[in-house]
Amino acid sequence: MKNRECILEVKDLYLTFNTYAGKVHAARGVNFSLNKGETLAIVGESGSGKSVTARAIMGLLPKNANIDKGEIIYKGRDLIKLSDREMTDIRGSDIAMIFQDPMSSLDPVMKIGRQITEALRIKQKVPAAEAKKKALRLMEAVGIDNVERRYNQYPFQFSGGMRQRIVIATALACDPEILICDEPTTALDVTVQAKILELIKEIQKERNLSVIFITHDLGVVANMEDRVAVMYAGKIIEYGTVDEIFKDPRHPYTMALLSAMPDLETDSSTELYAIPGAPPNLLHPPKGDAFAPRNRFAMRIDLEEEPPMFKVSDTHYAATWLLHEEAPTIDFDTFKQKTLEKRRKFKEKEKNNEESQKPILEVRNLKQYFTSGFGRRKLVVKAVDDISFDIYKGEIFGLVGESGCGKTTTGRSIIGLYEPTEGEIYFNGELISRGQKHKGSRKFTREISMIFQDPIASLNPRMTVKEIIGEGLKISKLYHEDEIMERVYKMLEIVGLSKEHANRYPHEFSGGQRQRIGIARALIVNPKLVIADEPISALDVSIQAQVLNLLNELKNEFDLTLLFIAHDLSVVKYFSDRIGVMYNGKLVEIADADELYRNPLHPYTKSLLSAIPIPNPDYERTRKHIHYDPSIHDYSEEEPKMVEVKQGHFVYGSASEIKEYTKSLEIYS
Amino acid sequence: MARYIAQRLVLMVITLFVIVSVSFFVLHSMPGSFINDPRMPKEVKKAIEDKYHLNEPLIVQYGYFLKDFVRLDFGISIALQPKVNVNKILATKIPVSMQVNIFSLILSIPVGIILGIWAALKKNKIPDHVISILIIAFISIPSFVFASLLQYFIAFKLGWFPIVVTTEQTLTWSKFVSMVLPILALSFGSIAGIARYTRAELCEALNSEYMLLAKSKGLTQVQATTRHAMRNSFIPLANIIIPMFTGIMGGSLVIEKIFSIPGMGSVMVEAINAKDYPVAMGVLFWYSLVGLLTILIVDLSYGIIDPRIRIGGRK
């Protein structure tokens, strides 16, 4: 195993944070080593201690953090014992780091050229001209064109993906040996994410860098080669090569995490596997295995004693008592089987009787423009540009697209937050797109409700849970106070909370619980149609599955119709019956979920599908990301429109394009 | 840019006209007369008032006022310094106030910024607590308390500085020495304001992600702070520092009274009390003009300091 030189070693790292509530044990004995030229991926949910460990290596911990114990050995030196001044020599030139949000990690008022060369000029005293030459080379290497001109621009003149490229160039300026990437693609769109991941891999190979890649996304991990370490509650609970972790996971948490994520292959007629409960509170770290309370295979010893690292193979270790010789063998297959038994089947999705059904919502040529300025400076943003679709009763319609494609605007126009620039929206056959003043709009606002993305920002922090949930009933003035309370309590139970929660405030709940409150608030008015705007994208993987299952269950129970807006195509594919793909304010393709996945026709859909990272290393190795170039469409002569190429499968394109699409559809089938 | 400034200037002229008109009618609708000598015969009083057109309908008076106003002539004072041109009165008063205020600014901007930076860098440590307590004290204790204390202890008891400001018009060394105490008394408030603002802005900038990236590039805390955090935290600072310059002309009523400075501080109040309409109108106009110009300068300065506004607006 040690055929490669070990470059960095973290030994038994214990880290605590001093907070008002007490000491938070963020890292509890983290051990790992990094070899020269390899990529080590650290996966874990928020609060598992992965970012903190990375910050400890960089010596950039916040002021309230203490390192209680442990060593970080780099080139024979213990980084923890170094003074801040000695660390500044190591940062940048030996170990560099890039961060999650490229929008805020560049100085907004400094030209990017100066930001890249800054460290070179100050630390290595490289003359200005030479530093510039190197910066231009770096910018070219990270895939920025027009470097001479770009060199003198400011960060706000770049898109998110471009900024992350610049951050990478900045980190590479002093030729470090180790690059720590802290969720570098989490804030980016899938197609951009795919490009950035390609870039990091490329650079790693070229420069023989050692990379520590921190992420919560197992799909991204499968994409990065070499080794994976899984963190839970401040500890590494399992590590091994990518294949070992994905094909033969030994720790029940790893298994659970792998089963909880829907991918494009997941059978959408069964409930997702959801890890019960929530991660432990690290103010009072649990005794024994931290995962034990959520582990259905937990034995008594799991709750009493901390498991040691058991060796599975030379490269694969896991900390679970299940690997003890006296424990029953639970491997991934038995885990899958056992958990599958418990999962409920949804009733077969009814299809093909849609013609007989009337659509509950019809959107006709909806246009939503936002204008600013006037006269010559008038600026029109076509957020939604002429889209039409129907949603049938009882179905889940998924709307996917990248940020800024207009999917959220569509949802808001439907619920009446915006008055459409043009076009009509019919609900149950009645026109509702006349704005708030329109008589009878009250009735519709009760029948359509919305679940929002950010469960923290969308709940009023000064209102108790019962006030938040009951508000929708209160303003309609149809119910008596006692009746409202009764229904609030009932609703709380339905979404998996209890009566006792009613008098608390939102901040006392975890992210998943808050989203449950959001769902309760949306459903209490007995809506017919629920618009869910990215309801799970702010949640951790293990919590996402819980919320998805809940939504699915409630949908059947309340006979709901859902408009599910998301950017994550694998979740949408699992969750929806039909999917609409949006690009740049236009719907480019609508089809049944399976059909869209099997026979994507529009090049943008293909690109989107190819960009999704799948938690399967074999697939990831062969995956080719298709880049979408909107300029391939020539609409100068033929007017493009939405055409039904197969029953229920619509594509946007010009006549000649449609002909081609139809042809390729025949080849598919 | 030029188009934008031109637009703003036109709007400014309209605003000024509205301000002046409203003030004219408000001032003139105050009851009473500038002649309050009860022994003066009615006929004489009426004759004097007629001379200044004060008995004509308000709208006619407004017409007279506008005619002179377009030449920026506000007429002569009728009560404070009878028969002296208003602009001339202001021309003698404003420089006196300006001297004190400019020195106060020169003192308070750097001191305030340095204290703010120091507090931000030592956040939640002893220097920060000391500075924060001082800031609270300086903001909450009125300047005339400081002025009186300084005057009593330093000037009267210790005799280090003169008790009142000398009456010389030109700025000589002795005049400067006599101005030290009022300058100090005036500065405490603005030092506290600047320091508090700087501390808050810098604390935010220090916790930003670009600081993290700067440090992970290998910059030391000092380098990262001076190169990245400072500049970003100064952008919003323009918002409070630039208006301070407009205060220069104003002068402080209380401080000027305490140190017997013949400045602008009391002119406005006295003019209104004495119903000296021309002086009151003159002061109001010049103040409004300076105020509006400052707002314009603040808005334009954002573009100069922040590239996001400068370049972003050009598209």
Side-chain angles (χ1 to χ4, degrees), chain A residues 122-399:
Chain A
I122 295 180
K123 286 181 67 192
Q124 302 186 349
K125 306 274 184 275
V126 178
E130 210 175 298
K132 182 174 177 183
K133 233 190 252 162
K134 184 164 185 187
L136 293 180
R137 268 209 314 277
L138 272 170
M139 284 167 71
E140 265 163 17
V142 295
I144 290 168
D145 37 62
N146 243 334
V147 283
E148 275 288 344
R149 193 170 58 88
R150 290 296 214 174
Y151 185 84
N152 282 323
Q153 287 187 329
Y154 290 93
F156 71 91
Q157 292 165 297
F158 291 80
S159 68
M162 281 296 157
R163 283 191 216 186
Q164 196 62 295
R165 285 166 195 267
I166 288 159
V167 173
I168 293 171
T170 318
L172 294 176
C174 289
D175 302 306
E177 288 184 65
I178 301 175
L179 182 65
I180 302 176
C181 308
D182 188 356
E183 307 248 10
T185 57
T186 309
L188 304 172
D189 279 322
V190 257
T191 49
V192 182
Q193 161 171 306
K195 288 180 201 157
I196 296 286
L197 290 179
E198 269 167 38
L199 174 70
I200 293 176
K201 268 161 102 176
E202 210 174 276
I203 284 170
Q204 188 228 354
K205 262 184 217 132
E206 235 166 64
R207 303 175 164 244
N208 199 25
L209 273 176
S210 309
V211 175
I212 297 180
F213 196 95
I214 295 166
T215 180
H216 67 278
D217 189 340
L218 283 166
V220 172
V221 174
N223 180 285
M224 303 307 289
E225 291 289 322
D226 300 332
R227 291 191 304 145
V228 182
V230 184
M231 270 190 101
Y232 184 76
K235 283 180 132 175
I236 290 184
I237 48 118
E238 183 165 9
Y239 67 90
T241 62
V242 179
D243 289 298
E244 283 164 341
I245 295 291
F246 281 92
K247 290 179 191 155
D248 185 24
R250 287 310 175 101
H251 197 284
Y253 175 66
T254 318
M255 299 185 204
L257 214 52
L258 282 169
S259 332
M261 243 185 89
D263 57 34
L264 293 173
E265 308 283 353
T266 309
D267 180 8
S268 51
S269 62
T270 6
E271 202 178 33
L272 272 181
Y273 174 69
I275 310 174
N281 184 350
L282 291 178
L283 264 176
H284 314 286
K287 221 167 72 176
D289 185 354
F291 187 61
R294 304 173 74 186
N295 177 10
R296 57 182 302 248
F297 303 106
M299 298 171 291
R300 200 148 129 222
I301 191 165
D302 275 317
L303 295 163
E304 285 163 1
E305 225 172 299
E306 223 170 281
M309 272 286 176
F310 286 98
K311 185 173 169 177
V312 182
S313 74
D314 275 345
T315 49
H316 189 181
Y317 291 80
T320 169
W321 284 114
L322 287 175
L323 289 171
H324 194 265
E325 41 200 33
E326 283 165 34
T329 25
I330 305 280
D331 56 19
F332 199 26
D333 289 329
T334 32
F335 179 88
K336 275 195 219 160
Q337 263 169 21
K338 294 248 175 173
T339 53
L340 207 58
E341 289 162 15
K342 286 273 173 94
R343 282 187 247 169
R344 260 171 302 164
K345 282 250 177 197
F346 300 119
K347 49 182 176 184
E348 252 327 284
K349 286 179 184 168
E350 303 136 36
K351 277 178 192 157
N352 294 332
N353 55 352
E354 273 162 14
E355 302 100 65
S356 60
Q357 276 181 350
K358 270 179 93 181
I360 184 164
L361 186 86
E362 293 162 83
V363 176
R364 290 283 165 268
N365 304 86
L366 178 69
K367 285 183 189 173
Q368 191 74 62
Y369 296 171
F370 297 102
T371 50
S372 69
F374 51 86
R376 268 190 298 148
R377 293 156 160 241
K378 189 165 171 174
L379 206 72
V380 180
V381 178
K382 299 183 177 179
V384 175
D385 193 11
D386 197 2
I387 64 169
S388 306
F389 61 91
D390 294 337
I391 300 180
Y392 296 96
K393 198 163 162 37
E395 77 167 349
I396 300 177
F397 186 81
L399 205 55

Side-chain angles (χ1 to χ4, degrees), chain B residues 64 98 133 151 155-156 162 166 170 182 198 200 208 216 220 235 247 260 273 290-291 312:
Chain B
Y64 286 126
M98 271 173 87
I133 291 170
Q151 199 178 35
F156 180 67
T166 58
T170 49
T198 311
S208 65
S216 79
T220 60
I235 295 173
S260 326
N273 278 339
V290 173

Side-chain angles (χ1 to χ4, degrees), chain A residues 2-20:
Chain A
K2 299 270 173 189
N3 47 1
R4 283 202 272 193
E5 180 197 348
C6 171
I7 184 167
L8 181 86
E9 206 173 355
V10 176
K11 282 186 189 164
D12 211 22
L13 184 70
Y14 280 81
L15 256 167
T16 52
F17 282 98
N18 295 326
T19 63
Y20 287 113

